[in-house]
Amino acid sequence: MSSSGVVGRVSRSGKPAVVAHRGSSREAPEHTLAAYELALAQGADGLECDVRMTSDHQLVCVHDRTVDRTSDGTGVVSEMSLAQLREFDFGSWHPEGKPAQVLTLRELLSLTLDWRRPVRLFIETKHPVRYGSLVEQTILETLQEFGVATPPSADHSRAVIISFSSAGVWRIRRNAPMLPTILLGETSRVLRGSAATAVGATGIGPSIDTLRLHPELVDRAAAAGRVTYCWTVDELADVELCAELGVRWVATNRPAQVRDWLVGV
């Protein structure tokens, strides 16, 4: 698969495309509708979310295993139903936040697909988790409901599945081979090629710390027909590095600022 497989029609020519990491999460509470609406208004090319499964098998956008850090509640996401999570305020903890309910993957998909321009949704699965492979199965079922599980080509896909779990990436590739996938990693050893090849990932996702130490990862990935998605890129020097190396997607907590910086790159 060519390195353009994950780029599609939503990036600007010659520069990294900007992915809003958990929404515009510097300016609004992460994973809330407000954070994603702000990111879209700021011109983000893609949105990133983490998904976890509730006790009644609903997919919600929450990064942590528990709700303690990002809500006024306490407890483990997988041990609570969606109705129970709806009782918590997921917005007021942030300095710029207002009361907000937990966001479901379905709600975020609706927002993304209904937006006035093409935007890609990067869905990160968390492992190990209580429900294992049911997470990927439910994601694919949800994408099927929205008509985006089987794109005609990766170029036209509106969803990308990303994960630190090679097994999670493989489950997606096996059941939905046209969906782009990115294997995330915090070390160059994980991302040098063999792991991504084994699971059929169409891209690699190093942290910015890893990329600074191993800039050769981008060329190695490109030589294997893979794109590079780098996280979390919030500083000007790092944006310039990603642009110079040819990183295709940069995930950032501050999409408006990164877009402004890229104008001068």
Side-chain angles (χ1 to χ4, degrees):
M1 184 173 293
S2 71
S3 62
S4 65
V6 185
V7 181
R9 305 290 183 261
V10 298
S11 65
R12 295 172 303 284
S13 176
K15 296 184 179 182
V18 177
V19 179
H21 183 247
R22 310 179 198 172
S24 189
S25 53
R26 181 70 65 91
E27 300 179 61
E30 66 182 62
H31 284 129
T32 60
L33 186 61
Y36 288 112
E37 288 179 335
L38 179 59
L40 291 170
Q42 292 173 338
D45 302 299
L47 305 176
E48 183 268 356
C49 68
D50 305 281
V51 293
R52 290 187 177 272
M53 183 167 280
T54 66
S55 62
D56 52 345
H57 297 176
Q58 301 299 306
L59 293 171
V60 292
C61 301
V62 179
H63 177 273
D64 301 352
R65 176 175 173 269
T66 71
V67 300
D68 299 42
R69 179 178 63 88
T70 56
S71 82
D72 61 353
T74 185
V76 177
V77 175
S78 63
E79 295 177 354
M80 290 183 281
S81 68
L82 177 58
Q84 289 174 303
L85 289 173
R86 293 284 199 199
E87 297 176 1
F88 301 145
D89 175 5
F90 281 80
S92 296
W93 63 271
H94 191 279
E96 303 299 325
K98 298 178 180 179
Q101 286 192 326
V102 68
L103 187 67
T104 67
L105 178 60
R106 281 188 172 85
E107 290 166 342
L108 183 54
L109 271 167
S110 293
L111 176 68
T112 305
L113 298 176
D114 290 344
W115 193 244
R116 57 180 175 265
R117 56 181 170 79
V119 177
R120 189 155 300 177
L121 182 59
F122 291 74
I123 305 168
E124 181 178 342
T125 66
K126 317 298 288 187
H127 290 284
V129 290
R130 176 189 307 266
Y131 298 109
S133 62
L134 184 60
V135 172
E136 281 78 25
Q137 177 185 328
T138 306
I139 287 174
L140 289 178
E141 290 172 353
T142 304
L143 294 180
Q144 188 68 43
E145 290 177 23
F146 281 81
V148 294
T150 55
S153 70
D155 280 344
H156 295 88
S157 180
R158 297 294 298 276
V160 183
I161 310 302
I162 67 178
S163 185
F164 286 94
S165 168
S166 56
V169 170
W170 169 241
R171 285 191 285 266
I172 296 295
R173 293 297 292 166
R174 182 181 59 193
N175 293 292
M178 297 310 294
L179 276 178
T181 51
I182 292 175
L183 180 63
L184 302 173
E186 297 188 67
T187 66
S188 63
R189 180 184 61 81
V190 172
L191 300 173
R192 283 189 181 275
S194 58
T197 299
V199 300
T202 58
I204 61 167
S207 68
I208 187 59
D209 292 337
T210 298
L211 193 64
R212 290 193 208 105
L213 293 173
H214 300 279
E216 74 281 359
L217 283 172
V218 179
D219 280 347
R220 291 174 68 105
R226 298 189 185 94
V227 297
T228 302
Y229 166 103
C230 187
W231 52 277
T232 303
V233 185
D234 286 345
E235 304 301 328
L236 174 57
D238 292 330
V239 172
E240 292 175 336
L241 175 64
C242 289
E244 178 183 354
L245 294 175
V247 170
R248 181 50 60 195
W249 298 92
V250 291
T252 177
N253 297 317
R254 47 198 309 191
Q257 181 67 77
V258 171
R259 278 179 55 85
D260 287 345
W261 284 335
L262 283 170
V263 171
V265 172

